[in-house]
Amino acid sequence: MTDKAKTPANEMWGGRFEARPDQILEQINASIDYDRRLATQDITASQEHARMLAAQGIISEADSAAICEGLGRVLAEIEAGEFEFSRALEDIHMNVEARLKALIGEPAGRLHTARSRNDQVATDFKLWVRARIDGDIDALSALIAALLGQAEAGADLVMPGFTHLQTAQPVTFGHHMMAYVEMFGRDRSRLVDARARMNESPLGAAALAGTSFPIDRHRTAQALGFDRPAANSLDAVSDRDFALEYLSAASICAAHLSRLAEEMVIWSSAQFQFIRLSDQWTTGSSIMPQKRNPDAAELVRAKVGRIMGALIGLMTVMKGLPLAYSKDMQEDKERVFDGADALGLSLAAMTGMVRDMRPVPDALRAAAGAAFSTATDLADWLVRRLDMPFRDAHHVTGSLVKLAETSGVDLDGLSLQQMQTVEPRITEEVFAVLGVDNSVASRVSYGGTAPDQVRAQIARWREQENA
Ligand code: ARG
């Protein structure tokens, strides 16, 4: 035969091919530049597959031992940075197998029995995503701990609460921190849910239809830490829900991070001065010597774009794909890698900033009392003491706010006589409710901003976190 028979188009699948692929095909087809990040998962899954094949009598124990030992050497080479990745070998699966063949010879060819790259890649990728979910769960716990620390220190610290970013009612800094504890707590539970749902092994689904070899999918599932094998081979190789679910949970978490980041940007501005970030978490300007920029907070605010972009990108890849595997699905990995990296970095940066941030009590208190922030307390007092319907009390308070505004004072700057021109039944006692400390202390409803309520929530969280 020709030379081509001696140098097949591809050493893995080139049997029926005579010519090498076009160079552009090789370029568009290769995923090795990024899926090398699956090397550890690929090798671990292959070792378990080989052990199972031997236990089932499908390959010999000697071959299995040679494969497992050889794969260990391949991994060592990769970890040492000595491995030569080849684009012609497309992806991590074939790069590893080709190297295994070079190292151990014939037994390497038996590893791919009763398996396909389709179930292989689904397994590797799931293991990767699962490990990242575990890391993110821990990172969220660290962030929650940092927020609880700030909440405890700031349980009595009054600050303005906002709606529409307009001063609304006084709240406490601790209460504000605890709002984020709730949000990140939900993010963590979404990841826990996603992990439980995804934890089924695709390995052994083979190309799409299962295999005629007497494999033991329960064994490999268990060895790889899965709860069970995936029950439908077509679904097992074509399912990327785990990646989509991870990215959607990551997107919601990143959206939360962006909100806290935005508040840090606003709060650390010269106009607000509610918090200070140290030198460790701010940068200078190359032209304006006075500047202290919250770059990390701004970047955390921005990273949500990458993470949501990854979700939309992958959703678009998966939409309309017929069962089972299609090469389109190779486009899953870069999205998820990029989104996961962005989330991991954002969580670490946010935890660092939350630990670093120092609230400025005087500025918070001054702002808490400004802009008629206790107007609702005044209206509530009129309801309670004068038995006014709330709507009327709202109206009277509105007139008092207008009077204060035209007099150039805040509500507690009005004299009793001035107030009585609007509502003659008002007494001296009203001034007590106009103070911000009384205002927050009065909000004792469950989940409200009263320091005792906030402390109760902190205690509940602490107990749960330490359980
Ligand atoms: N590199 C491929 C991917 O990431 C592996 C699976 C290839 N399967 C195939 N039938 N060509 O999706």
Side-chain angles (χ1 to χ4, degrees):
M1 266 274 286
T2 60
D3 286 353
K4 282 171 197 147
K6 278 175 251 150
T7 53
N10 180 297
E11 64 179 281
M12 294 292 155
W13 46 251
R16 63 165 291 182
F17 288 79
E18 293 190 352
R20 286 187 54 81
D22 189 282
Q23 194 230 310
I24 300 291
L25 169 59
E26 197 167 283
Q27 199 184 327
I28 197 171
N29 208 26
S31 52
I32 188 60
D33 292 340
Y34 46 87
D35 69 14
R36 62 177 66 181
R37 290 182 70 171
L38 300 177
T40 310
Q41 289 77 13
D42 191 69
I43 286 171
T44 306
S46 286
Q47 287 172 327
E48 292 306 335
H49 180 68
R51 287 187 191 114
M52 180 278 292
L53 290 175
Q56 296 297 103
I58 301 167
I59 66 173
S60 71
E61 287 291 350
D63 283 347
S64 168
I67 288 168
C68 290
E69 183 274 332
L71 285 169
R73 277 151 68 194
V74 176
L75 184 59
E77 288 181 5
I78 292 173
E79 282 172 349
E82 288 158 6
F83 192 95
E84 261 186 54
F85 291 100
S86 152
R87 266 209 191 156
L89 288 165
E90 264 182 66
D91 55 26
I92 186 63
H93 324 294
M94 297 201 295
N95 270 267
V96 168
E97 196 185 315
R99 182 66 189 143
L100 181 66
K101 177 133 189 266
L103 289 175
I104 69 167
E106 197 252 16
R110 299 185 188 279
L111 170 61
H112 214 52
T113 313
R115 185 180 78 170
S116 150
R117 272 188 297 155
N118 297 347
D119 57 335
Q120 193 178 354
V121 72
T123 305
D124 298 356
F125 195 31
K126 252 192 187 181
L127 291 172
W128 193 93
V129 170
R130 195 180 70 186
R132 291 302 286 240
I133 287 179
D134 289 341
D136 293 341
I137 287 171
D138 289 347
L140 277 163
S141 298
L143 176 54
I144 286 168
L147 286 163
L148 285 171
Q150 288 284 4
E152 204 144 54
D156 293 299
L157 209 55
V158 286
M159 68 176 282
F162 300 91
T163 62
H164 314 261
L165 197 56
Q166 305 289 319
T167 298
Q169 295 173 350
V171 296
T172 66
F173 192 75
H175 193 216
H176 202 117
M177 292 298 106
M178 291 305 288
Y180 283 101
V181 167
E182 295 289 335
M183 291 151 80
F184 292 122
R186 287 194 297 274
D187 290 333
R188 190 176 55 183
S189 85
R190 262 184 285 276
L191 289 172
V192 169
D193 289 351
R195 189 196 198 284
R197 203 164 12 255
M198 73 176 280
N199 206 27
E200 297 183 340
S201 173
L203 195 59
L208 73 165
T211 175
S212 56
F213 290 98
I215 59 170
D216 184 352
R217 292 191 60 210
H218 292 273
R219 179 194 159 114
T220 45
Q222 202 194 3
L224 295 169
F226 289 109
D227 296 328
R228 63 193 81 85
N232 181 299
S233 62
L234 292 166
D235 175 50
V237 293
S238 61
D239 166 42
R240 292 294 181 273
D241 289 4
F242 61 94
L244 290 170
E245 227 181 309
Y246 172 55
L247 287 176
S248 65
S251 294
I252 297 173
C253 179
H256 291 158
L257 287 167
S258 81
R259 296 179 76 172
L260 180 51
E262 165 69 351
E263 301 211 288
M264 288 177 154
V265 171
I266 295 174
W267 290 351
S268 63
S269 69
Q271 287 68 27
F272 274 74
Q273 296 187 46
F274 281 7
I275 59 163
R276 284 198 211 301
L277 289 167
S278 78
D279 291 0
Q280 272 191 295
W281 287 98
T282 47
T283 59
S285 155
S286 54
I287 174 169
M288 296 164 283
Q290 86 284 11
K291 289 297 285 290
R292 180 190 274 289
N293 293 327
D295 291 40
E298 295 168 81
L299 286 161
V300 169
R301 185 174 60 185
K303 291 287 184 198
V304 63
R306 298 176 83 107
I307 298 166
M308 283 171 62
L311 171 64
I312 303 302
L314 182 55
M315 197 78 95
T316 311
V317 167
M318 295 307 295
K319 180 207 160 291
L321 280 187
L323 300 190
Y325 178 85
S326 294
K327 195 62 177 253
D328 308 52
M329 291 163 68
Q330 180 167 285
E331 288 286 314
D332 57 2
K333 283 171 273 303
E334 283 168 293
R335 310 281 92 72
V336 171
F337 291 158
D338 191 63
D341 289 345
L343 182 67
L345 196 52
S346 298
L347 284 168
M350 184 51 84
T351 304
M353 286 188 288
V354 169
R355 286 190 188 129
D356 183 74
M357 138 180 107
R358 291 286 164 265
V360 183
D362 291 346
L364 289 165
R365 172 170 290 276
F372 316 109
S373 67
T374 52
T376 317
D377 299 270
L378 174 53
D380 288 351
W381 184 87
L382 295 171
V383 170
R384 254 192 329 259
R385 304 307 272 197
L386 309 182
D387 196 28
M388 266 188 208
F390 182 77
R391 276 294 151 226
D392 298 347
H394 186 286
H395 205 79
V396 168
T397 306
S399 303
L400 288 165
V401 166
K402 193 169 168 202
L403 179 63
E405 198 166 34
T406 49
S407 316
V409 294
D410 223 297
L411 279 172
D412 59 359
L414 288 174
S415 66
L416 183 59
Q417 288 74 10
Q418 279 177 300
M419 291 203 192
Q420 285 171 342
T421 63
V422 176
E423 170 47 63
R425 289 178 295 160
I426 293 179
T427 67
E428 195 69 42
E429 192 199 282
V430 77
F431 288 100
V433 303
L434 299 179
V436 289
D437 291 297
N438 286 332
S439 170
V440 295
S442 74
R443 297 255 166 6
V444 291
S445 54
Y446 182 83
T449 202
D452 285 349
Q453 278 298 325
V454 173
R455 286 205 179 84
Q457 294 299 334
I458 296 171
R460 180 177 66 82
W461 271 94
R462 284 235 187 268
E463 203 172 300
Q464 181 191 301
E465 294 300 290
N466 298 330

